Amino acid sequence: MFKKSKEALQKFKKAFKPTQPFEFFFYAETEDAAANLSIALHQLGYTVYERDNRDTKLSKYAVIGYTTPLPTDDNKMDAWSEQMEKLALEYDCKFDGWGTLIE
């Protein structure tokens, strides 16, 4: 999956840095699920900068933040995405993906 993102960037003559932080997006139905997920993300060294209960079509609570710099190797980013999916399942949330700044 990450490989497709890299290929899309190449069309615009852009690339990921060797390591860089990534923003993440999760949604939860309950405040407890959002809070517990936030704690787990903090334990990984990540920053959660928004945990709110703005009602969205997906769910009631958004958990948004960013990682420490991660290696942008295809396999490592795919493994990271899988780790986020597992965290979402563990805390009864939905992992909605990631984003990052490309200069």
Side-chain angles (χ1 to χ4, degrees):
M1 182 169 188
F2 187 74
K3 185 177 180 178
K4 288 182 183 181
S5 297
K6 284 173 65 172
E7 289 170 355
L9 283 176
Q10 288 172 349
K11 291 178 185 177
F12 298 100
K13 299 186 187 326
K14 299 285 184 179
F16 291 105
K17 294 178 183 174
T19 63
Q20 64 185 80
F22 286 83
E23 194 171 36
F24 51 77
F25 309 92
F26 290 87
Y27 296 100
E29 291 293 326
T30 67
E31 185 175 12
D32 283 347
N36 290 332
L37 174 64
S38 294
I39 291 167
L41 292 166
H42 277 291
Q43 289 173 340
L44 290 172
Y46 300 164
T47 299
V48 173
Y49 62 79
E50 186 173 335
R51 193 179 89 219
D52 66 26
N53 63 348
R54 279 187 239 151
D55 200 9
T56 67
K57 292 179 183 178
L58 297 174
S59 71
K60 296 179 182 177
Y61 295 88
V63 177
I64 304 169
Y66 59 91
T67 67
T68 55
L70 301 175
T72 56
D73 169 88
D74 292 350
N75 293 332
K76 289 183 180 175
M77 285 304 300
D78 287 344
W80 176 80
S81 290
E82 288 177 23
Q83 179 187 22
M84 296 300 101
E85 290 284 352
K86 287 178 184 175
L87 271 178
L89 284 173
E90 182 177 345
Y91 293 101
D92 196 25
C93 298
K94 179 185 184 333
F95 176 54
D96 195 38
W98 55 267
T100 193
L101 181 63
I102 302 296
E103 297 176 16

